[in-house]
Amino acid sequence: MKKTSTRLADGRELIYYDLRDDHVRDAVDRRPLERTVTTSEIRRDPLLGDSVAVASHRQGRTYHPPADECPLCPSRDGRLSEIPDSSYDVVVFENRFPSLAGDSGRCEVVCFTSDHNASFADLSEEQAALVLEAWADRTSELSHLPSVEQVFCFENRGAEIGVTLGHPHGQIYAYPFTTPRTALMLRSLAAHKEATGGENLFDAVLERELAGERVVLEGEHWVAFVPHAAHWPYEAHLYPKRRVPDLLALDEAARTEFPKVYLELLRRFDRIFDGGPAGGKAGGHGSPTPYIAAWHQAPFGQLAEFDGVNRDDFALHLELFTIRRTSGKLKFLAGSESGMSVFINDVPPERAAERLREVAS
C-alpha cells in the first residue's frame, strides 16, 4: 500500500491509498473554495447522560446530485470534484460538512472505489483489503488527536438509509467521548467480569454463538452470526475469532482472510429478498439491500469508570444490518423503538440466520 497525503483548495486533508507504489498523486484542487466554516457543538443531555452534536452548517450539504455531478467521482473532462486526480483506488478526506469538527472531533469520507456504479460487494478482494488498511491507518492517525476518544468506521448504503450521495463510500467519525452504545457494552462487560470472577463477556457470547444455530458463515479467523437478541430483521455480527480491541490489533492472518469473508456476507445481504446478483450494478429483481455496516472498536480514552475493564477486554466486531424487513417493506423505528429504545423484531433471529445461509454463493 502506498499512502499520499495532500490538501484540498479549502485546506482539508485528502489521502490517497494506492495498491501500486508507482502512482504519483500530485494533482492540484483547482476549485475556488473558501475555507470551511463549521458550527459543530457537543451538548450533553443531563437526564440520559448522552451527548448530541449540533451542526447547523450541515443543512447546506450536497443532496442527491445527478451522477454526472457526483463530488466523489474523480475529476475528469473538465469537471472538478472532491478528488483532484483523474483516478484513484481508495481515498479518504475530511468531510466538507462535518458533524464533528475541531475540539468536537473530526469526520472523514472514505471512497471505496472510483467506480460510481459499484458497491462494496463489487470490490475485488485486493481492493477490499486496501479499504481495511485505510480504516486501520485512519484509526491510528485519529486516535492521536487530543480531542479524540473513539474512532468509528461505518458505511451507510441505500436511499432508504438516508444516503444522499450514491457513490460507494463510507465515513469515519472521531468522537471526543465514548459513545453511548459502547458505554453500555463496557458496563455489561464490567458487570459480567465481576459476577463470573473474571470471564470475558465477548468471549462467552462468541463461544455460545459458535456452538449454536445462528452462524451464517465461518472462516478460519472470522465468524459471522445473527445474534440471539437481534434488534433488526436481518442483522449479522462479524467477529475475529481472536479477540482484539481494534482494527490495529488484527494479525496478518485475520487481515488476509477478512476480504473473502466480508464480501461474501455483503453479497448474501443482497440476495436476501429477491435472489438478485450482489452489488449496486444493474440486474436482479429489485433494488440492492439497504444496510448499515458499523465497526465497534475500543475507546482510546481512560476506562476508569468501568470497574476492572481495560481496552484489551473489548472485542472488535462489525455489525451489519438492514432496515428492510421484507420485499418492499421497511422496519420503521416507531413509538417503542424511538421513544423507549425497546426494539421489536419482526423476524426471528434463527430464521434470519437460516435465510442468510440459504443465499450462499
Side-chain angles (χ1 to χ4, degrees):
M1 179 191 78
K2 181 182 179 182
K3 175 183 175 183
T4 306
S5 180
T6 185
R7 293 281 172 180
L8 296 173
D10 55 6
R12 289 175 294 131
E13 185 178 18
L14 179 143
I15 306 160
Y16 294 97
Y17 293 90
D18 285 304
L19 291 167
R20 290 168 35 194
D21 292 335
D22 59 351
H23 275 301
V24 177
R25 300 298 186 183
D26 56 5
V28 176
D29 184 5
R30 294 184 285 110
R31 296 172 298 170
L33 297 180
E34 296 182 358
R35 284 199 168 267
T36 302
V37 177
T38 62
T39 56
S40 182
E41 176 189 359
I42 301 296
R43 296 187 181 183
R44 188 161 181 82
D45 187 319
L47 296 180
L48 297 179
D50 59 9
S51 298
V52 176
V54 180
S56 59
H57 63 276
R58 283 177 54 77
Q59 285 282 41
R61 65 187 183 275
T62 307
Y63 187 79
H64 291 299
D68 60 356
E69 295 179 16
C70 174
L72 306 185
C73 288
S75 293
R76 291 174 181 162
D77 303 322
R79 190 185 67 80
L80 304 178
S81 73
E82 288 279 68
I83 296 93
D85 216 324
S86 60
S87 66
Y88 63 84
D89 290 337
V90 174
V91 165
V92 177
F93 61 88
E94 288 184 76
N95 198 321
R96 190 178 178 187
F97 304 97
S99 302
L100 309 167
D103 293 339
S104 298
R106 176 159 157 152
C107 293
E108 298 182 341
V109 177
V110 184
C111 296
F112 304 138
T113 171
S114 60
D115 184 353
H116 180 86
N117 296 314
S119 74
F120 202 118
D122 295 316
L123 301 183
S124 67
E125 290 186 18
E126 184 181 35
Q127 185 79 4
L130 184 62
V131 176
L132 178 64
E133 290 300 312
W135 282 331
D137 182 71
R138 295 315 301 154
T139 295
S140 176
E141 294 290 329
L142 293 170
S143 71
H144 290 96
L145 296 180
S147 63
V148 172
E149 189 166 314
Q150 186 173 0
V151 179
F152 175 48
C153 306
F154 65 101
E155 180 191 1
N156 298 329
R157 188 270 192 95
E160 298 95 328
I161 297 292
V163 175
T164 56
L165 297 176
H167 195 102
H169 73 288
Q171 299 182 64
I172 302 175
Y173 276 23
Y175 298 101
F177 50 79
T178 297
T179 61
R181 187 76 177 275
T182 303
L184 284 174
M185 292 184 198
L186 291 169
R187 292 189 187 100
S188 297
L189 189 62
H192 186 85
K193 190 173 185 179
E194 181 179 5
T196 60
E199 182 182 64
N200 184 280
L201 179 57
F202 285 109
D203 292 350
V205 167
L206 189 56
E207 182 179 358
R208 182 181 69 178
E209 294 294 355
L210 279 167
E213 60 180 318
R214 290 181 297 275
V215 171
V216 173
L217 63 95
E218 182 178 357
E220 183 179 354
H221 304 284
W222 293 86
V223 60
F225 58 86
V226 177
H228 169 72
H231 289 59
W232 299 93
Y234 290 92
E235 172 183 341
H237 293 191
L238 179 63
Y239 276 71
K241 290 183 177 179
R242 183 179 70 87
R243 172 165 44 90
V244 294
D246 52 41
L247 291 163
L248 303 174
L250 289 172
D251 60 24
E252 189 60 32
R255 289 171 184 257
T256 299
E257 186 181 72
F258 169 77
K260 180 179 180 179
V261 175
Y262 187 47
L263 290 171
E264 172 62 17
L265 184 61
L266 290 178
R267 290 162 185 165
R268 291 190 191 191
F269 258 67
D270 268 333
R271 299 186 185 101
I272 293 173
F273 302 107
D274 57 35
K281 296 180 177 178
H285 306 292
S287 61
T289 301
Y291 65 72
I292 293 175
W295 281 109
H296 291 268
Q297 305 192 82
F300 289 95
Q302 295 295 319
L303 301 183
E305 64 180 290
F306 308 104
D307 294 337
V309 170
N310 57 54
R311 290 193 80 248
D312 289 336
D313 291 322
F314 194 86
L316 167 76
H317 61 285
L318 179 137
E319 294 186 9
L320 175 68
F321 61 89
T322 179
I323 63 170
R324 187 178 288 170
R325 57 188 174 88
T326 188
S327 297
K329 297 180 181 178
L330 300 181
K331 165 66 177 176
F332 291 102
L333 300 190
S336 185
E337 291 91 351
S338 294
M340 283 295 170
S341 295
V342 178
F343 275 68
I344 301 169
N345 194 347
D346 304 288
V347 180
E350 293 72 24
R351 173 54 190 149
E354 181 183 14
R355 178 60 181 153
L356 285 165
R357 290 192 298 269
E358 289 174 350
V359 294
S361 298

